Amino acid sequence: MKNLKDKNLFREAGLIGGEWVAAGSGRTVDVVDPATQAAIGAVPDMAGPETRSAIEAAAFAYGDWKKKTNAERAGLLEAWHGLMLAHLDDLALILTTEQGKPLDEARGEIRYGASFVKWFAEEARRINGHTIPSPTPDRRIIVLKEPVGVCGIITPWNFPNAMITRKVAPALAAGCTVVIKPSEFTPFSALALGVLAERAGIPAGVINIVTGMPVEIGNEIVANETVRKISFTGSTRVGSLLMRGAADTVKRLSLELGGNAPLIVFDDADLDLAVEGALVSKFRNGGQTCVCANRILVQAGVYEAFAAKLSARVNAMTVGPGTQPGVAIGPMINMAAVEKINHHVEDALAKGAEIITEKPVLPEGAQYVAPLVLTGATKDMQLAAEETFGPVAPLFQFETEEEAITLANGTPYGLASYFYTENLKRAWRVGEALEFGMVGLNTGSVSMEVAPFGGVKQSGLGREGAQAGIEEYLEMKSFHMGGLG
Ligand SMILES: NC(=O)c1ccc[n+]([C@@H]2O[C@H](COP(=O)([O-])OP(=O)(O)OC[C@H]3O[C@@H](n4cnc5c(N)ncnc54)[C@H](O)[C@@H]3O)[C@@H](O)[C@H]2O)c1
Ligand SMILES: O=C[C@H](O)CS(=O)(=O)O
């Protein structure tokens, strides 16, 4: 990859037991720049045998890693964190080249990703067990916290750095070792993290990275008895497939799945703040985030004013390659994404919605999509039921608070939700009525390392980040000492 200050960060090999390796079959998978559709490199197309080797390497490394003191593990994570920040520009460039998001956003993702490593380095020092008062005088009971073991980490393309660190940092802090399967669309960000982990002194086999097409790698991670936990971020379809598969060996699971976030704007909202929140929530990463506002519900009294303010801001957005300064919306990840977005828009238009934004000049390249505001959205449209995962902002109109809550909760998903009001009583009523793992009041952003991140209903199981995030990688052991009378 051209223009990297440190060219060694770009690796076209998997990482197993401290060795950078090709696939046994010699097969590779091309990785494409979504801005140009040109290949930027290729990674090994690994399968079952390489995944088994990676699991064995992780199991071997686990023996020593779990015995390190928590402070030693914390120190190694701190060193990894420092290297991520020292190589921020290169990591961001790799990320933008394979994923497409604007370079400024990619830099933000590297900082965000690194924040989990710092946070869990700190949490490693606070893995405290506890004591239980004994029911009899001759016994003492303590509860020990122990690592789960070898973890399979499966991550998506939309945040190729942070979705890995949000899992790997707590896993390593807890004393687990990992086998990472990054998205086949964005493996280079994961491999660069592997290079920096090596440089930080994290021992061979603690982090293994298996690249390639998902099914055979996934099947091995799911079936292999040595893997004691799977942490997955991605679609609900694949998440439920993994959940079914993991049942056979009764693995622990963390699932961060799809969302269908509502963003509700009440008549009593600060409209400028609501527009800012909608822009952040809807258009970050070109609308390709699991927490992005998929349905913007606006109360009748401010509907026209909100639509006008939002569309003025959207009209000012520039679409282009993520490496071009000033670009707000980069290319979509692939043609399937573009087709889904177009299909949602066509379906909405056929059912009575209207585009109120201007048609922007799109650069050459098949994967660019115009950011849009649609008025007249209704719940029978496909974009109301499924994640559009693109820069399309559909505005639904409602009359009453009850109607807004019913609309907002009318989805099998329950990841993020947002609402705007200046009324304190309404703030509590609505905040408590929303059936989502995360609620933002007067903010369009809920993602940060200090707060629990995760969903309810079909948006998943477990929480990442915060103090809760490390518990996902720990088992409790009740240790009873008898005969003390
Ligand atoms: N809740 C969250 O925190 C969160 C965060 C980011 C993305 N997401 C969701 O992820 C989706 C977008 O990401 P995606 O398109 O990469 O999702 P995806 O489910 O297609 O893929 C996610 C990962 O699973 C792998 N995979 C696919 N089939 C597999 C199989 N049979 N066995 C094992 N692994 C398999 C993929 O290669 C990839 O690494 C959206 O639905 C989005 O909402 C959720
Ligand atoms: O795509 C959803 C992610 O979890 C991204 S973020 O954590 O909100 O940045």
Side-chain angles (χ1 to χ4, degrees):
M1 191 178 287
K2 283 187 300 183
N3 300 332
L4 288 182
K5 289 180 232 162
D6 183 341
K7 299 216 169 359
N8 282 325
L9 291 176
F10 182 69
R11 289 293 166 98
E12 294 178 282
L15 178 60
I16 300 179
E19 303 289 329
W20 291 92
V21 289
S25 66
R27 285 197 314 259
T28 57
V29 182
D30 280 348
V31 182
V32 165
D33 179 347
T36 59
Q37 289 80 56
I40 52 179
V43 290
D45 187 11
M46 294 177 162
E50 294 87 350
T51 311
R52 262 191 304 285
S53 301
I55 294 168
E56 281 159 18
F60 184 74
Y62 179 59
D64 281 345
W65 184 248
K66 73 174 175 197
K67 285 194 205 125
K68 284 196 183 298
T69 65
N70 292 23
E72 282 171 324
R73 290 200 297 271
L76 290 166
L77 287 170
E78 292 277 3
W80 196 26
H81 169 258
L83 287 170
M84 282 177 209
L85 295 185
H87 292 279
L88 191 142
D89 287 339
D90 277 349
L91 293 176
L93 184 58
I94 292 172
L95 202 164
T96 290
T97 309
E98 66 180 356
Q99 198 273 338
K101 69 180 62 176
L103 210 40
D104 271 353
E105 284 194 34
R107 287 196 192 94
E109 180 180 339
I110 304 303
R111 281 191 210 94
Y112 176 56
S115 75
F116 291 105
V117 180
K118 174 88 176 150
W119 174 267
F120 286 109
E122 291 160 358
E123 285 302 301
R125 300 172 195 270
R126 289 185 275 277
I127 301 174
N128 302 323
H130 57 276
T131 59
I132 309 260
S134 170
T136 57
D138 64 340
R139 178 180 293 250
R140 300 289 181 273
I141 307 167
I142 57 174
V143 177
L144 304 174
K145 295 278 183 83
E146 297 186 345
V148 168
V150 173
C151 300
I153 305 285
I154 304 178
T155 53
W157 52 263
N158 64 342
F159 286 80
N161 175 292
M163 296 303 97
I164 291 178
T165 58
R166 198 159 75 181
K167 299 175 185 305
V168 172
L172 265 55
C176 301
T177 56
V178 299
V179 175
I180 304 171
K181 196 220 79 66
S183 168
E184 59 278 21
F185 295 109
T186 57
F188 291 125
S189 293
L191 295 166
L193 283 173
V195 173
L196 294 180
E198 269 187 336
R199 289 186 194 168
I202 294 176
V206 171
I207 295 179
N208 303 276
I209 307 173
V210 180
T211 58
M213 299 308 286
V215 173
E216 290 179 44
I217 298 172
N219 287 348
E220 182 62 35
I221 290 176
V222 165
N224 195 304
E225 286 189 15
T226 302
V227 176
R228 291 312 319 141
K229 176 185 173 95
I230 296 176
S231 180
F232 170 78
T233 293
S235 61
T236 296
R237 181 187 70 79
V238 175
S240 69
L241 196 95
L242 296 175
M243 194 172 182
R244 277 196 292 277
D248 286 342
T249 47
V250 194
K251 293 187 195 337
R252 277 183 64 175
L253 280 174
S254 294
L255 300 175
E256 295 287 350
L257 309 178
N260 182 358
L263 184 145
I264 310 172
V265 183
F266 288 102
D267 279 348
D268 54 21
D270 174 334
L271 269 203
D272 291 322
L273 196 64
V275 168
E276 289 306 325
L279 288 166
V280 168
S281 168
K282 175 72 256 184
F283 294 100
R284 183 163 65 104
N285 198 16
Q288 302 171 109
T289 79
C290 55
V291 289
C292 76
N294 200 51
R295 299 167 293 150
I296 303 183
L297 317 180
V298 190
Q299 204 158 8
V302 292
Y303 190 86
E304 296 299 332
F306 179 84
K309 279 176 186 273
L310 182 66
S311 55
R313 295 290 296 277
V314 173
N315 284 338
M317 287 178 169
T318 307
V319 182
T323 47
Q324 185 180 302
V327 159
I329 308 287
M332 300 295 104
I333 189 67
N334 52 32
M335 282 312 292
V338 173
E339 280 155 21
K340 182 177 185 189
I341 295 161
N342 289 340
H343 182 70
H344 274 196
V345 173
E346 282 155 20
D347 173 72
L349 295 177
K351 291 174 180 159
E354 204 183 320
I355 299 174
I356 59 162
T357 32
E358 293 159 7
K359 210 172 174 149
V361 182
L362 293 184
E364 274 192 29
Q367 290 175 211
Y368 291 105
V369 163
L372 292 180
V373 178
L374 283 170
T375 51
T378 52
K379 63 180 180 188
D380 61 324
M381 295 173 180
Q382 278 182 7
L383 47 65
E386 292 167 32
E387 291 175 304
T388 301
F389 240 55
V392 175
L395 307 188
F396 299 70
Q397 191 171 136
F398 68 90
E399 300 289 338
T400 66
E401 186 178 303
E402 294 67 31
E403 189 189 344
I405 290 168
T406 306
L407 262 175
N409 288 340
T411 165
Y413 301 99
L415 191 59
S417 57
Y418 312 87
F419 69 108
Y420 283 78
T421 178
E422 295 289 290
N423 178 320
L424 184 61
K425 288 184 185 165
R426 169 172 279 164
W428 277 103
R429 270 198 314 270
V430 176
E432 289 175 355
L434 287 171
E435 294 163 357
F436 293 83
M438 294 170 286
V439 179
L441 164 64
N442 295 333
T443 174
S445 144
V446 290
S447 311
M448 55 194 69
E449 79 282 13
V450 300
F453 187 104
V456 300
K457 294 158 80 177
Q458 291 182 32
S459 288
L461 299 174
R463 291 294 178 269
E464 296 193 320
Q467 284 147 355
I470 203 160
E471 296 297 333
E472 303 276 327
Y473 297 89
L474 291 167
E475 296 284 9
M476 266 190 264
K477 181 185 274 176
S478 298
F479 189 31
H480 295 247
M481 284 168 273
L484 301 176

